[in-house]
Amino acid sequence: MIMNVIFLGTLGIYHPLIAAYEYLGQLKTDDISNLKFWGDRISEARGDPLLVGYDQQGNGVYSLGAGVDVIMTQKSIEQMVKIFDRSEKDLIVQTVFIKREKILLFLHRAGQIKAINRLVTPLVKYLLNQELIAIQQQVENFRNKVRFD
């Protein structure tokens, strides 16, 4: 059965994106800023799920930003799945958290000013490189929790 997997976090263009690539086995940690959609403010502003790719079972793997209320967004998506008479087997939402969420949000907002964005981009990259192991552990926990046949 084909389904969709959404990695959900405050900003879909950063840590959930890293988690999605890690889940697909395509994360190259030498330069995370080379990931497709990395730092793509236009995509983030649209609020659309970002299709990162497909896993070995053909499941669509997405990254999505939810702003500050990640848990409420997760619950809302899960309730919508039920309302539309779908099951958990059609869509799985996996939240991705980092310790420095508030700093990341601040940097992202500050980076809206073009002159400041040049300074913000390497700071965001540094911050998320510090969180890589934690993100990878969350993905591994997700893999162990959800097994696809």
Side-chain angles (χ1 to χ4, degrees):
M1 171 187 272
I2 303 295
M3 69 178 322
N4 292 305
V5 177
I6 297 175
F7 287 94
L8 180 71
T10 51
L11 296 163
I13 56 173
Y14 294 123
H15 50 298
L17 184 67
I18 292 169
Y21 276 101
E22 173 69 17
Y23 174 74
L24 291 171
Q26 299 174 2
L27 183 64
K28 294 175 176 62
T29 58
D30 56 325
D31 193 353
I32 57 175
S33 64
N34 287 330
L35 299 175
K36 183 180 178 186
F37 301 118
W38 174 268
D40 184 344
R41 293 176 171 280
I42 295 170
S43 293
E44 183 68 28
R46 278 197 309 260
D48 296 332
L50 306 172
L51 177 60
V52 176
Y54 297 91
D55 66 13
Q56 293 177 345
Q57 293 77 27
N59 302 315
V61 179
Y62 295 83
S63 176
L64 180 62
V68 294
D69 209 345
V70 174
I71 297 298
M72 181 56 77
T73 301
Q74 178 185 22
K75 288 179 183 178
S76 296
I77 292 170
E78 290 169 348
Q79 290 169 352
M80 293 300 286
V81 167
K82 290 178 185 173
I83 288 170
F84 289 113
D85 200 27
R86 299 292 181 188
S87 76
E88 185 180 273
K89 294 178 182 171
D90 295 313
L91 175 69
I92 293 180
V93 180
Q94 177 61 42
T95 54
V96 182
F97 294 104
I98 59 172
K99 291 179 185 175
R100 299 170 182 101
E101 297 274 353
K102 290 180 182 179
I103 296 170
L104 182 63
L105 279 169
F106 171 78
L107 290 172
H108 180 73
R109 289 179 182 145
Q112 292 173 338
I113 301 167
K114 287 190 179 193
I116 295 175
N117 191 43
R118 289 187 191 149
L119 302 171
V120 166
T121 301
L123 288 173
V124 167
K125 180 179 169 183
Y126 174 80
L127 181 141
L128 289 169
N129 272 318
Q130 302 304 306
E131 299 278 358
L132 273 178
I133 293 172
I135 294 168
Q136 291 170 321
Q137 186 61 54
Q138 290 175 67
V139 173
E140 187 59 31
N141 292 344
F142 172 71
R143 279 192 189 115
N144 292 334
K145 181 177 80 171
V146 181
R147 299 265 184 223
F148 301 111
D149 296 327

